PDB file of all heavy atoms in Angstrom:
ATOM      1  N   HIS A   1       0.833  -1.209  -0.001  1.00 98.00           N
ATOM      2  CA  HIS A   1      -0.001   0.000   0.000  1.00 98.00           C
ATOM      3  C   HIS A   1       0.868   1.258   0.000  1.00 98.00           C
ATOM      4  O   HIS A   1       0.580   2.230  -0.712  1.00 98.00           O
ATOM      5  CB  HIS A   1      -0.939  -0.001   1.208  1.00 98.00           C
ATOM      6  CG  HIS A   1      -1.862  -1.174   1.243  1.00 98.00           C
ATOM      7  ND1 HIS A   1      -2.460  -1.617   2.397  1.00 98.00           N
ATOM      8  CD2 HIS A   1      -2.290  -2.018   0.259  1.00 98.00           C
ATOM      9  CE1 HIS A   1      -3.226  -2.674   2.135  1.00 98.00           C
ATOM     10  NE2 HIS A   1      -3.134  -2.925   0.842  1.00 98.00           N
ATOM     11  N   ALA A   2       1.944   1.253   0.794  1.00 98.00           N
ATOM     12  CA  ALA A   2       2.850   2.398   0.827  1.00 98.00           C
ATOM     13  C   ALA A   2       3.548   2.592  -0.526  1.00 98.00           C
ATOM     14  O   ALA A   2       3.944   3.714  -0.872  1.00 98.00           O
ATOM     15  CB  ALA A   2       3.883   2.208   1.927  1.00 98.00           C
ATOM     16  N   ASP A   3       3.682   1.504  -1.272  1.00 98.00           N
ATOM     17  CA  ASP A   3       4.312   1.551  -2.589  1.00 98.00           C
ATOM     18  C   ASP A   3       3.274   1.772  -3.702  1.00 98.00           C
ATOM     19  O   ASP A   3       3.580   1.608  -4.884  1.00 98.00           O
ATOM     20  CB  ASP A   3       5.071   0.232  -2.834  1.00 98.00           C
ATOM     21  CG  ASP A   3       6.169   0.378  -3.876  1.00 98.00           C
ATOM     22  OD1 ASP A   3       6.535   1.515  -4.223  1.00 98.00           O
ATOM     23  OD2 ASP A   3       6.660  -0.668  -4.356  1.00 98.00           O
ATOM     24  N   GLY A   4       2.051   2.120  -3.315  1.00 98.00           N
ATOM     25  CA  GLY A   4       1.022   2.445  -4.292  1.00 98.00           C
ATOM     26  C   GLY A   4       0.313   1.272  -4.916  1.00 98.00           C
ATOM     27  O   GLY A   4      -0.402   1.435  -5.909  1.00 98.00           O
ATOM     28  N   SER A   5       0.495   0.070  -4.351  1.00 98.00           N
ATOM     29  CA  SER A   5      -0.103  -1.125  -4.947  1.00 98.00           C
ATOM     30  C   SER A   5      -1.362  -1.525  -4.185  1.00 98.00           C
ATOM     31  O   SER A   5      -1.344  -1.714  -2.966  1.00 98.00           O
ATOM     32  CB  SER A   5       0.896  -2.289  -4.929  1.00 98.00           C
ATOM     33  OG  SER A   5       0.405  -3.376  -5.674  1.00 98.00           O
ATOM     34  N   ALA A   6      -2.465  -1.653  -4.906  1.00 98.00           N
ATOM     35  CA  ALA A   6      -3.754  -1.980  -4.297  1.00 98.00           C
ATOM     36  C   ALA A   6      -3.905  -3.486  -4.114  1.00 98.00           C
ATOM     37  O   ALA A   6      -3.498  -4.270  -4.981  1.00 98.00           O
ATOM     38  CB  ALA A   6      -4.888  -1.447  -5.153  1.00 98.00           C
ATOM     39  N   THR A   7      -4.508  -3.878  -3.026  1.00 98.00           N
ATOM     40  CA  THR A   7      -4.842  -5.283  -2.805  1.00 98.00           C
ATOM     41  C   THR A   7      -6.349  -5.519  -2.915  1.00 98.00           C
ATOM     42  O   THR A   7      -6.808  -6.642  -2.780  1.00 98.00           O
ATOM     43  CB  THR A   7      -4.339  -5.750  -1.428  1.00 98.00           C
ATOM     44  OG1 THR A   7      -4.871  -4.902  -0.409  1.00 98.00           O
ATOM     45  CG2 THR A   7      -2.818  -5.695  -1.378  1.00 98.00           C
ATOM     46  N   MET A   8      -7.098  -4.455  -3.144  1.00 98.00           N
ATOM     47  CA  MET A   8      -8.521  -4.553  -3.468  1.00 98.00           C
ATOM     48  C   MET A   8      -8.881  -3.409  -4.413  1.00 98.00           C
ATOM     49  O   MET A   8      -8.345  -2.303  -4.295  1.00 98.00           O
ATOM     50  CB  MET A   8      -9.407  -4.493  -2.220  1.00 98.00           C
ATOM     51  CG  MET A   8     -10.904  -4.523  -2.541  1.00 98.00           C
ATOM     52  SD  MET A   8     -11.977  -4.574  -1.080  1.00 98.00           S
ATOM     53  CE  MET A   8     -11.950  -6.343  -0.732  1.00 98.00           C
ATOM     54  N   TYR A   9      -9.763  -3.679  -5.344  1.00 98.00           N
ATOM     55  CA  TYR A   9     -10.235  -2.677  -6.306  1.00 98.00           C
ATOM     56  C   TYR A   9     -11.161  -1.703  -5.594  1.00 98.00           C
ATOM     57  O   TYR A   9     -12.221  -2.079  -5.077  1.00 98.00           O
ATOM     58  CB  TYR A   9     -10.967  -3.403  -7.420  1.00 98.00           C
ATOM     59  CG  TYR A   9     -11.465  -2.556  -8.588  1.00 98.00           C
ATOM     60  CD1 TYR A   9     -10.789  -2.580  -9.804  1.00 98.00           C
ATOM     61  CD2 TYR A   9     -12.623  -1.798  -8.494  1.00 98.00           C
ATOM     62  CE1 TYR A   9     -11.251  -1.855 -10.893  1.00 98.00           C
ATOM     63  CE2 TYR A   9     -13.095  -1.071  -9.566  1.00 98.00           C
ATOM     64  CZ  TYR A   9     -12.410  -1.105 -10.770  1.00 98.00           C
ATOM     65  OH  TYR A   9     -12.871  -0.392 -11.855  1.00 98.00           O
ATOM     66  N   VAL A  10     -10.747  -0.440  -5.525  1.00 98.00           N
ATOM     67  CA  VAL A  10     -11.579   0.635  -4.962  1.00 98.00           C
ATOM     68  C   VAL A  10     -11.607   1.729  -6.020  1.00 98.00           C
ATOM     69  O   VAL A  10     -10.623   2.429  -6.233  1.00 98.00           O
ATOM     70  CB  VAL A  10     -11.013   1.151  -3.630  1.00 98.00           C
ATOM     71  CG1 VAL A  10     -11.957   2.203  -3.044  1.00 98.00           C
ATOM     72  CG2 VAL A  10     -10.811   0.006  -2.640  1.00 98.00           C
ATOM     73  N   SER A  11     -12.723   1.879  -6.684  1.00 98.00           N
ATOM     74  CA  SER A  11     -12.768   2.653  -7.921  1.00 98.00           C
ATOM     75  C   SER A  11     -12.592   4.158  -7.747  1.00 98.00           C
ATOM     76  O   SER A  11     -12.232   4.849  -8.696  1.00 98.00           O
ATOM     77  CB  SER A  11     -14.085   2.375  -8.652  1.00 98.00           C
ATOM     78  OG  SER A  11     -15.198   2.771  -7.855  1.00 98.00           O
ATOM     79  N   ASP A  12     -12.827   4.666  -6.534  1.00 98.00           N
ATOM     80  CA  ASP A  12     -12.769   6.123  -6.351  1.00 98.00           C
ATOM     81  C   ASP A  12     -11.663   6.571  -5.402  1.00 98.00           C
ATOM     82  O   ASP A  12     -11.621   7.741  -5.011  1.00 98.00           O
ATOM     83  CB  ASP A  12     -14.125   6.658  -5.866  1.00 98.00           C
ATOM     84  CG  ASP A  12     -14.584   6.040  -4.563  1.00 98.00           C
ATOM     85  OD1 ASP A  12     -14.012   5.007  -4.146  1.00 98.00           O
ATOM     86  OD2 ASP A  12     -15.534   6.579  -3.952  1.00 98.00           O
ATOM     87  N   VAL A  13     -10.761   5.657  -5.025  1.00 98.00           N
ATOM     88  CA  VAL A  13      -9.603   6.013  -4.202  1.00 98.00           C
ATOM     89  C   VAL A  13      -8.380   5.361  -4.842  1.00 98.00           C
ATOM     90  O   VAL A  13      -8.080   4.195  -4.594  1.00 98.00           O
ATOM     91  CB  VAL A  13      -9.759   5.564  -2.738  1.00 98.00           C
ATOM     92  CG1 VAL A  13      -8.571   6.079  -1.897  1.00 98.00           C
ATOM     93  CG2 VAL A  13     -11.065   6.070  -2.146  1.00 98.00           C
ATOM     94  N   LEU A  14      -7.714   6.119  -5.681  1.00 98.00           N
ATOM     95  CA  LEU A  14      -6.618   5.600  -6.493  1.00 98.00           C
ATOM     96  C   LEU A  14      -5.264   5.898  -5.843  1.00 98.00           C
ATOM     97  O   LEU A  14      -5.193   6.613  -4.846  1.00 98.00           O
ATOM     98  CB  LEU A  14      -6.719   6.182  -7.893  1.00 98.00           C
ATOM     99  CG  LEU A  14      -8.059   5.904  -8.604  1.00 98.00           C
ATOM    100  CD1 LEU A  14      -8.046   6.473 -10.018  1.00 98.00           C
ATOM    101  CD2 LEU A  14      -8.391   4.418  -8.613  1.00 98.00           C
ATOM    102  N   PRO A  15      -4.164   5.361  -6.386  1.00 98.00           N
ATOM    103  CA  PRO A  15      -2.863   5.501  -5.715  1.00 98.00           C
ATOM    104  C   PRO A  15      -2.404   6.934  -5.481  1.00 98.00           C
ATOM    105  O   PRO A  15      -1.571   7.162  -4.600  1.00 98.00           O
ATOM    106  CB  PRO A  15      -1.920   4.764  -6.673  1.00 98.00           C
ATOM    107  CG  PRO A  15      -2.773   3.735  -7.316  1.00 98.00           C
ATOM    108  CD  PRO A  15      -4.100   4.396  -7.504  1.00 98.00           C
ATOM    109  N   ASP A  16      -2.918   7.889  -6.224  1.00 98.00           N
ATOM    110  CA  ASP A  16      -2.500   9.281  -6.006  1.00 98.00           C
ATOM    111  C   ASP A  16      -3.368  10.002  -4.977  1.00 98.00           C
ATOM    112  O   ASP A  16      -3.203  11.202  -4.748  1.00 98.00           O
ATOM    113  CB  ASP A  16      -2.498  10.051  -7.327  1.00 98.00           C
ATOM    114  CG  ASP A  16      -3.843  10.044  -8.031  1.00 98.00           C
ATOM    115  OD1 ASP A  16      -4.765   9.341  -7.561  1.00 98.00           O
ATOM    116  OD2 ASP A  16      -3.978  10.710  -9.071  1.00 98.00           O
ATOM    117  N   SER A  17      -4.270   9.270  -4.334  1.00 98.00           N
ATOM    118  CA  SER A  17      -5.129   9.856  -3.308  1.00 98.00           C
ATOM    119  C   SER A  17      -4.432   9.831  -1.947  1.00 98.00           C
ATOM    120  O   SER A  17      -3.749   8.867  -1.594  1.00 98.00           O
ATOM    121  CB  SER A  17      -6.450   9.092  -3.207  1.00 98.00           C
ATOM    122  OG  SER A  17      -7.165   9.450  -2.038  1.00 98.00           O
ATOM    123  N   ALA A  18      -4.632  10.881  -1.152  1.00 98.00           N
ATOM    124  CA  ALA A  18      -4.079  10.926   0.202  1.00 98.00           C
ATOM    125  C   ALA A  18      -4.679   9.842   1.085  1.00 98.00           C
ATOM    126  O   ALA A  18      -4.098   9.467   2.113  1.00 98.00           O
ATOM    127  CB  ALA A  18      -4.326  12.307   0.810  1.00 98.00           C
ATOM    128  N   ASP A  19      -5.840   9.321   0.697  1.00 98.00           N
ATOM    129  CA  ASP A  19      -6.513   8.289   1.487  1.00 98.00           C
ATOM    130  C   ASP A  19      -6.209   6.876   1.003  1.00 98.00           C
ATOM    131  O   ASP A  19      -6.766   5.906   1.544  1.00 98.00           O
ATOM    132  CB  ASP A  19      -8.028   8.507   1.433  1.00 98.00           C
ATOM    133  CG  ASP A  19      -8.477   9.737   2.195  1.00 98.00           C
ATOM    134  OD1 ASP A  19      -8.002   9.930   3.326  1.00 98.00           O
ATOM    135  OD2 ASP A  19      -9.290  10.504   1.650  1.00 98.00           O
ATOM    136  N   PHE A  20      -5.353   6.737   0.014  1.00 98.00           N
ATOM    137  CA  PHE A  20      -5.135   5.420  -0.593  1.00 98.00           C
ATOM    138  C   PHE A  20      -4.706   4.363   0.433  1.00 98.00           C
ATOM    139  O   PHE A  20      -5.300   3.278   0.509  1.00 98.00           O
ATOM    140  CB  PHE A  20      -4.090   5.508  -1.711  1.00 98.00           C
ATOM    141  CG  PHE A  20      -3.767   4.189  -2.350  1.00 98.00           C
ATOM    142  CD1 PHE A  20      -4.627   3.609  -3.273  1.00 98.00           C
ATOM    143  CD2 PHE A  20      -2.596   3.498  -2.025  1.00 98.00           C
ATOM    144  CE1 PHE A  20      -4.335   2.386  -3.862  1.00 98.00           C
ATOM    145  CE2 PHE A  20      -2.295   2.279  -2.609  1.00 98.00           C
ATOM    146  CZ  PHE A  20      -3.165   1.719  -3.529  1.00 98.00           C
ATOM    147  N   GLU A  21      -3.690   4.673   1.238  1.00 98.00           N
ATOM    148  CA  GLU A  21      -3.169   3.661   2.166  1.00 98.00           C
ATOM    149  C   GLU A  21      -4.191   3.254   3.214  1.00 98.00           C
ATOM    150  O   GLU A  21      -4.355   2.065   3.508  1.00 98.00           O
ATOM    151  CB  GLU A  21      -1.890   4.160   2.828  1.00 98.00           C
ATOM    152  CG  GLU A  21      -0.697   4.218   1.891  1.00 98.00           C
ATOM    153  CD  GLU A  21       0.576   4.588   2.625  1.00 98.00           C
ATOM    154  OE1 GLU A  21       0.945   3.876   3.584  1.00 98.00           O
ATOM    155  OE2 GLU A  21       1.199   5.604   2.249  1.00 98.00           O
ATOM    156  N   VAL A  22      -4.891   4.243   3.800  1.00 98.00           N
ATOM    157  CA  VAL A  22      -5.835   3.889   4.864  1.00 98.00           C
ATOM    158  C   VAL A  22      -7.026   3.125   4.307  1.00 98.00           C
ATOM    159  O   VAL A  22      -7.540   2.189   4.940  1.00 98.00           O
ATOM    160  CB  VAL A  22      -6.300   5.133   5.649  1.00 98.00           C
ATOM    161  CG1 VAL A  22      -5.127   5.759   6.367  1.00 98.00           C
ATOM    162  CG2 VAL A  22      -7.017   6.136   4.767  1.00 98.00           C
ATOM    163  N   VAL A  23      -7.479   3.481   3.117  1.00 98.00           N
ATOM    164  CA  VAL A  23      -8.618   2.775   2.514  1.00 98.00           C
ATOM    165  C   VAL A  23      -8.210   1.351   2.137  1.00 98.00           C
ATOM    166  O   VAL A  23      -8.979   0.398   2.341  1.00 98.00           O
ATOM    167  CB  VAL A  23      -9.153   3.551   1.295  1.00 98.00           C
ATOM    168  CG1 VAL A  23     -10.136   2.702   0.489  1.00 98.00           C
ATOM    169  CG2 VAL A  23      -9.832   4.835   1.753  1.00 98.00           C
ATOM    170  N   GLN A  24      -7.003   1.185   1.598  1.00 98.00           N
ATOM    171  CA  GLN A  24      -6.556  -0.160   1.260  1.00 98.00           C
ATOM    172  C   GLN A  24      -6.370  -1.011   2.527  1.00 98.00           C
ATOM    173  O   GLN A  24      -6.682  -2.206   2.531  1.00 98.00           O
ATOM    174  CB  GLN A  24      -5.259  -0.098   0.456  1.00 98.00           C
ATOM    175  CG  GLN A  24      -5.460   0.309  -0.998  1.00 98.00           C
ATOM    176  CD  GLN A  24      -6.231  -0.717  -1.802  1.00 98.00           C
ATOM    177  OE1 GLN A  24      -6.035  -1.921  -1.656  1.00 98.00           O
ATOM    178  NE2 GLN A  24      -7.144  -0.247  -2.650  1.00 98.00           N
ATOM    179  N   TRP A  25      -5.882  -0.396   3.596  1.00 98.00           N
ATOM    180  CA  TRP A  25      -5.773  -1.116   4.872  1.00 98.00           C
ATOM    181  C   TRP A  25      -7.146  -1.584   5.354  1.00 98.00           C
ATOM    182  O   TRP A  25      -7.327  -2.743   5.750  1.00 98.00           O
ATOM    183  CB  TRP A  25      -5.131  -0.197   5.918  1.00 98.00           C
ATOM    184  CG  TRP A  25      -5.316  -0.671   7.335  1.00 98.00           C
ATOM    185  CD1 TRP A  25      -4.665  -1.713   7.941  1.00 98.00           C
ATOM    186  CD2 TRP A  25      -6.236  -0.146   8.296  1.00 98.00           C
ATOM    187  NE1 TRP A  25      -5.123  -1.863   9.236  1.00 98.00           N
ATOM    188  CE2 TRP A  25      -6.087  -0.917   9.482  1.00 98.00           C
ATOM    189  CE3 TRP A  25      -7.155   0.903   8.289  1.00 98.00           C
ATOM    190  CZ2 TRP A  25      -6.826  -0.655  10.637  1.00 98.00           C
ATOM    191  CZ3 TRP A  25      -7.893   1.156   9.436  1.00 98.00           C
ATOM    192  CH2 TRP A  25      -7.735   0.386  10.589  1.00 98.00           C
ATOM    193  N   TRP A  26      -8.104  -0.692   5.301  1.00 98.00           N
ATOM    194  CA  TRP A  26      -9.454  -1.025   5.754  1.00 98.00           C
ATOM    195  C   TRP A  26     -10.088  -2.088   4.837  1.00 98.00           C
ATOM    196  O   TRP A  26     -10.742  -3.005   5.310  1.00 98.00           O
ATOM    197  CB  TRP A  26     -10.299   0.242   5.769  1.00 98.00           C
ATOM    198  CG  TRP A  26     -11.633   0.137   6.457  1.00 98.00           C
ATOM    199  CD1 TRP A  26     -12.862   0.303   5.885  1.00 98.00           C
ATOM    200  CD2 TRP A  26     -11.872  -0.134   7.843  1.00 98.00           C
ATOM    201  NE1 TRP A  26     -13.857   0.149   6.811  1.00 98.00           N
ATOM    202  CE2 TRP A  26     -13.278  -0.120   8.034  1.00 98.00           C
ATOM    203  CE3 TRP A  26     -11.044  -0.390   8.925  1.00 98.00           C
ATOM    204  CZ2 TRP A  26     -13.853  -0.360   9.276  1.00 98.00           C
ATOM    205  CZ3 TRP A  26     -11.628  -0.622  10.174  1.00 98.00           C
ATOM    206  CH2 TRP A  26     -13.014  -0.610  10.331  1.00 98.00           C
ATOM    207  N   ALA A  27      -9.852  -1.951   3.556  1.00 98.00           N
ATOM    208  CA  ALA A  27     -10.387  -2.926   2.607  1.00 98.00           C
ATOM    209  C   ALA A  27      -9.775  -4.306   2.839  1.00 98.00           C
ATOM    210  O   ALA A  27     -10.469  -5.330   2.761  1.00 98.00           O
ATOM    211  CB  ALA A  27     -10.124  -2.468   1.177  1.00 98.00           C
ATOM    212  N   ALA A  28      -8.458  -4.350   3.106  1.00 98.00           N
ATOM    213  CA  ALA A  28      -7.782  -5.628   3.342  1.00 98.00           C
ATOM    214  C   ALA A  28      -8.323  -6.332   4.576  1.00 98.00           C
ATOM    215  O   ALA A  28      -8.289  -7.571   4.666  1.00 98.00           O
ATOM    216  CB  ALA A  28      -6.278  -5.404   3.482  1.00 98.00           C
TER     217      ALA A  28
END
């Protein structure tokens, strides 16, 4: 997640979003 790699498809929070890491953590 810190390296910009998603482990779940979230269509409105992409790697350039400030919320990317926390949303991917929550999704995981």
Side-chain angles (χ1 to χ4, degrees):
H1 300 158
D3 202 14
S5 189
T7 56
M8 177 176 277
Y9 184 104
V10 184
S11 61
D12 58 346
V13 185
L14 303 182
D16 57 354
S17 167
D19 290 315
F20 178 77
E21 289 186 57
V22 296
V23 168
Q24 284 294 320
W25 164 74
W26 191 242

